[in-house]
Amino acid sequence: MPELPEVETLRRMLTSRVVGRTVASARRSRSRLHVHARSGGLATLAGRRLESVERRGKYLLFRFDAERVMISHLGMSGRWLLFERPPGERTPHVHARFRFRDGAVLWFQDPRRFGQLRVVAAGARAGDASLERLGRDPLDPPLRSGDLAALAAGTRLSVKQFLLDQRRLAGIGNIYASEILFRARVDPRRRAGALTEAQWAAVAVEIPAVLGAAIERMGTTFSMYRTLWNEPGQYGDQLLVYDREGLACRRCGGRVRRIVQGQRATFFCPTCQPGGRR
DNA sequence: ATCCTATCCTGTAGGC
DNA sequence: TGCCTACAGGATAGGA
């Protein structure tokens, strides 16, 4: 699903359209989220005003009047959907429904139920183990090539799997990892500890370039992702290698290859991204 | 400590 | 058309 650009798109939309509204009621439906299914406590948000929405990696933090924080992760198929008036038709897989005092409704929908939704006390900063494990944000503050090399020092992971490791960099997912490495012309199979300075410099340039362009287009809709207004993201037609196995490389015309690394698909152009593992 | 594998779910696309 | 399989943007626990 949703990687940093998709989550950031939602954060911006929530900030402009939902922050400042006061919750009239919040409840979860009987179908439970699977991972960390601790959405009890939702009801305690009633009467509280949404003060701000922050992003940590692929997580969203909804801050309510300095006391309560709601944490969401969209997993593979989660969506936040805002309606100024409650929609008439029945919608499946809606796990939490918020109604605001002005009548608008906000839904958390997640068919595959890999998503997470929980409420914690804002003061208890012992807080949330999964958030504390997160590494650096890839955009803020800006990464320099030396930062990347330091994060990769000593690991035997491939550079593709390194980019996906949320404990090192928090926010890059499977689509953008392939896109970043293609544009940086680095073979995804190369060990992260073995990249040259020039390669790290190229990766450091392409991380914000790719993520920034994707944010501008409100993310990539591969299948499930929608914006807060239930619209697809527009970055899909900018993808250079992702989901393009066997098609012509947009740079050199060669064939895009698909391989599997850590049980995830990786797409790359062997001509434009030479080098192999070492 | 680090890395790898299996697993949690449902929906969809593609092959036959 | 229908059935079946493979695969999907993620994170995690447990074992090597």
Side-chain angles (χ1 to χ4, degrees):
Chain A
M1 121 32 167
E3 309 181 23
L4 185 152
E6 292 74 33
V7 179
E8 176 63 19
T9 297
L10 286 169
R11 188 195 68 76
R12 294 179 181 190
M13 291 179 168
L14 288 161
T15 298
S16 70
R17 294 288 294 282
V18 186
V19 164
R21 302 198 201 216
T22 299
V23 176
S25 65
R27 56 195 179 82
R28 64 180 174 85
S29 50
R30 232 187 2 238
S31 63
R32 305 182 56 131
L33 297 177
H34 190 266
V35 184
H36 294 277
R38 294 193 280 134
S39 45
L42 234 52
T44 67
L45 299 177
R48 297 179 197 270
R49 178 176 181 272
L50 181 61
E51 298 294 342
S52 62
V53 182
E54 299 166 20
R55 180 184 58 74
R56 300 262 197 285
K58 303 173 192 172
Y59 290 83
L60 286 174
L61 279 66
F62 298 68
R63 295 198 176 277
F64 290 89
D65 63 19
E67 288 183 32
R68 302 236 158 219
V69 182
M70 178 173 70
I71 300 168
S72 84
H73 192 294
L74 298 171
M76 294 280 250
S77 59
R79 295 171 174 169
W80 279 109
L81 297 171
L82 177 71
F83 304 94
E84 289 302 327
R85 289 288 170 266
E89 71 269 29
R90 276 244 294 285
T91 308
H93 307 302
V94 177
H95 302 289
R97 298 166 197 268
F98 299 79
R99 178 185 301 276
F100 297 96
R101 285 186 175 164
D102 58 14
V105 297
L106 180 67
W107 287 356
F108 186 76
Q109 181 189 38
D110 181 13
R112 290 180 71 179
R113 289 194 280 146
F114 291 167
Q116 308 171 32
L117 187 65
R118 55 184 172 274
V119 176
V120 302
R125 68 168 297 261
D128 202 85
S130 51
L131 289 185
E132 287 174 1
R133 278 195 288 269
L134 293 178
R136 288 192 52 167
D137 190 89
L139 298 180
D140 182 26
L143 288 167
R144 294 170 310 160
S145 59
D147 301 328
L148 289 167
L151 286 170
T155 183
R156 297 178 55 76
L157 291 174
S158 69
V159 63
K160 160 72 173 349
Q161 290 177 285
F162 163 78
L163 290 177
L164 289 183
D165 184 350
Q166 305 298 301
R167 291 165 307 183
R168 294 183 161 94
L169 287 177
I172 297 172
N174 210 36
I175 292 182
Y176 298 113
S178 282
E179 295 296 308
I180 287 163
L181 292 174
F182 172 77
R183 290 173 47 151
R185 304 197 191 183
V186 173
D187 188 315
R189 298 167 295 186
R190 193 172 185 89
R191 292 194 189 285
L195 262 65
T196 65
E197 263 186 59
Q199 287 179 314
W200 281 128
V203 173
V205 167
E206 296 303 340
I207 286 173
V210 169
L211 299 180
I215 290 170
E216 283 179 18
R217 291 174 170 263
M218 297 186 296
T220 302
T221 293
F222 182 68
S223 63
M224 301 300 296
Y225 164 74
R226 295 291 186 280
T227 72
L228 193 60
W229 344 119
N230 202 15
E231 291 169 339
Q234 300 300 312
Y235 192 75
D237 54 9
Q238 309 292 307
L239 296 176
L240 299 176
V241 287
Y242 186 82
D243 200 32
R244 291 180 46 81
E245 180 184 17
L247 299 179
C249 168
R250 296 200 147 123
R251 247 197 90 248
C252 76
R255 292 227 176 276
V256 173
R257 274 193 68 195
R258 178 187 188 275
I259 60 175
V260 174
Q261 298 177 281
Q263 301 154 194
R264 316 293 303 280
T266 301
F267 299 87
F268 72 110
C269 171
T271 306
C272 296
Q273 298 164 266
R277 292 174 59 85
R278 312 193 66 82

